[in-house]
Amino acid sequence: SSSFADRTWRELVLDVRKHVEFQGLEKSADGVVVDIHTSGDGRSGGQRVKLVTFALAAALRYQLGGRKAVTPQYGTVIIDEAFDKADAEFTEGSMRIFERFGFQMILATPLKMVQTLSEFIGGAALVTIRNRNESSLSLLEITNLAGPAA
């Protein structure tokens, strides 16, 4: 059994918010600094999520592509249960961030997210699981998921 001191130390070490600092400059298209991010503190939930998604995409882009590559050398990101508990605004914003960094996204997500993700879908398959041990895969033809133009 762990002592209180051991649990406290473990929580401190594993919670990066307590020992990792960063500074990010948010710039407009013309290069003017519009915001400075030093942490997620003082931000709304949506702003923090946007910051985390951007930091994740930027870190992946840098690790996979290096400083000089325009797009990542290997640009596929796979997310299971993607955006299952996220709202439509966060989901769309996150997809735009990953798209801007040049990533191909492979998402396993509930059907309820299809409408939100429709403009990002290039192909789809429906996985059906019966009795928790039998599954089947059906490829879906993508026609016009977004519906008729307004």
Side-chain angles (χ1 to χ4, degrees):
S1 85
S2 296
S3 71
F4 176 74
D6 289 341
R7 285 192 307 272
T8 302
W9 177 85
R10 188 172 51 248
E11 288 173 12
L12 172 66
V13 170
L14 295 177
D15 189 345
V16 296
R17 296 171 298 177
K18 297 180 179 172
H19 58 85
V20 173
E21 295 181 11
F22 68 90
Q23 182 180 48
L25 303 178
E26 186 175 342
K27 296 182 179 182
S28 64
D30 57 353
V32 176
V33 175
V34 295
D35 201 354
I36 299 174
H37 301 273
T38 54
S39 73
D41 293 341
R43 307 283 174 171
S44 70
Q47 290 171 320
R48 280 194 309 271
V49 169
K50 180 180 175 185
L51 179 60
V52 167
T53 304
F54 182 84
L56 172 62
L60 284 170
R61 166 61 184 81
Y62 179 77
Q63 288 290 55
L64 298 172
R67 291 178 183 244
K68 296 180 183 175
V70 175
T71 58
Q73 294 172 355
Y74 179 80
T76 301
V77 174
I78 301 170
I79 303 175
D80 189 18
E81 297 186 23
F83 309 114
D84 185 28
K85 296 182 176 38
D87 63 26
E89 185 178 342
F90 167 73
T91 299
E92 185 177 340
S94 295
M95 290 299 293
R96 291 203 187 289
I97 289 169
F98 279 110
E99 182 179 62
R100 187 168 182 194
F101 277 96
F103 289 108
Q104 173 194 20
M105 304 298 291
I106 298 176
L107 308 175
T109 190
L111 283 174
K112 68 180 182 177
M113 298 306 298
V114 170
Q115 184 172 357
T116 301
L117 293 167
S118 63
E119 73 176 277
F120 303 100
I121 295 175
L126 177 65
V127 177
T128 306
I129 301 173
R130 288 175 294 284
N131 304 324
R132 299 187 60 94
N133 63 1
E134 295 176 36
S135 61
S136 63
L137 181 76
S138 303
L139 296 179
L140 302 177
E141 183 178 331
I142 305 299
T143 53
N144 186 0
L145 294 174

